[in-house]
Amino acid sequence: MADAQPGGREDMPTVLIIDDNPEDQSNMAEILKSEGYDTIAAGMGPEGIKLCREHRPDLIMLDLVMPDMNGIETLREFKKEFPDIPVIMCSAAGLEQVVALALRVGATGYIVKPYDRDTVLKNLKGHIAAGKPPV
């Protein structure tokens, strides 16, 4: 989480990336790190939930299609335990009904793969700012 630093500067927010595809995970981390964000990565939903408990990220980027526990199931678990952490769903499936379901379950946004750097950063900054309480 962002903590105040000496001189009034805050650390960049931490983003938890959950994606079973190592290449997609790496691409997202590269985009975020190039902008100074801290990232934590998990390959599956249960691992992501565990990391969220340990690190309390500012935002979660969550893949929709994963083995064992898909993104919608993982999102439901996050919203029970961490209702205030924004979750942006990510998938190559931009189907309208899938996007609508993700938003109904509690996602704050949806990004279609392949990732476009500007779209990722615009969504990320908007959702992190919306999730921050006023100082």
Side-chain angles (χ1 to χ4, degrees):
M1 298 277 286
D3 294 318
Q5 292 291 311
R9 188 183 149 275
E10 286 191 350
D11 282 343
M12 289 301 284
T14 299
V15 178
L16 171 59
I17 303 165
I18 305 172
D19 196 319
D20 64 312
N21 182 320
E23 186 176 328
D24 287 341
Q25 196 182 91
S26 177
N27 290 341
M28 178 63 75
E30 185 178 311
I31 290 169
L32 300 177
K33 287 179 179 180
S34 73
E35 291 293 312
Y37 289 95
D38 291 326
T39 63
I40 305 163
M44 303 271 194
E47 178 189 5
I49 293 167
K50 179 180 180 277
L51 288 173
C52 193
R53 287 182 186 130
E54 293 171 8
H55 299 278
R56 300 294 283 194
D58 297 285
L59 185 131
I60 300 164
M61 303 294 274
L62 177 60
D63 187 27
L64 180 63
V65 181
M66 297 182 293
D68 297 330
M69 184 180 207
N70 70 40
I72 297 294
E73 295 166 331
T74 305
L75 176 62
R76 284 188 173 111
E77 291 302 312
F78 276 123
K79 288 299 154 183
K80 285 181 198 171
E81 195 167 340
F82 312 102
D84 297 332
I85 298 177
V87 179
I88 298 176
M89 299 297 293
C90 306
S91 181
L95 302 174
E96 204 172 302
Q97 58 269 52
V98 175
V99 173
L101 175 59
L103 295 173
R104 275 196 313 273
V105 172
T108 55
Y110 196 96
I111 299 174
V112 178
K113 295 178 185 181
Y115 300 123
D116 169 79
R117 178 184 179 80
D118 292 336
T119 301
V120 168
L121 295 174
K122 180 181 174 185
N123 274 278
L124 185 79
K125 289 175 184 176
H127 291 293
I128 285 179
K132 290 283 188 197
V135 187

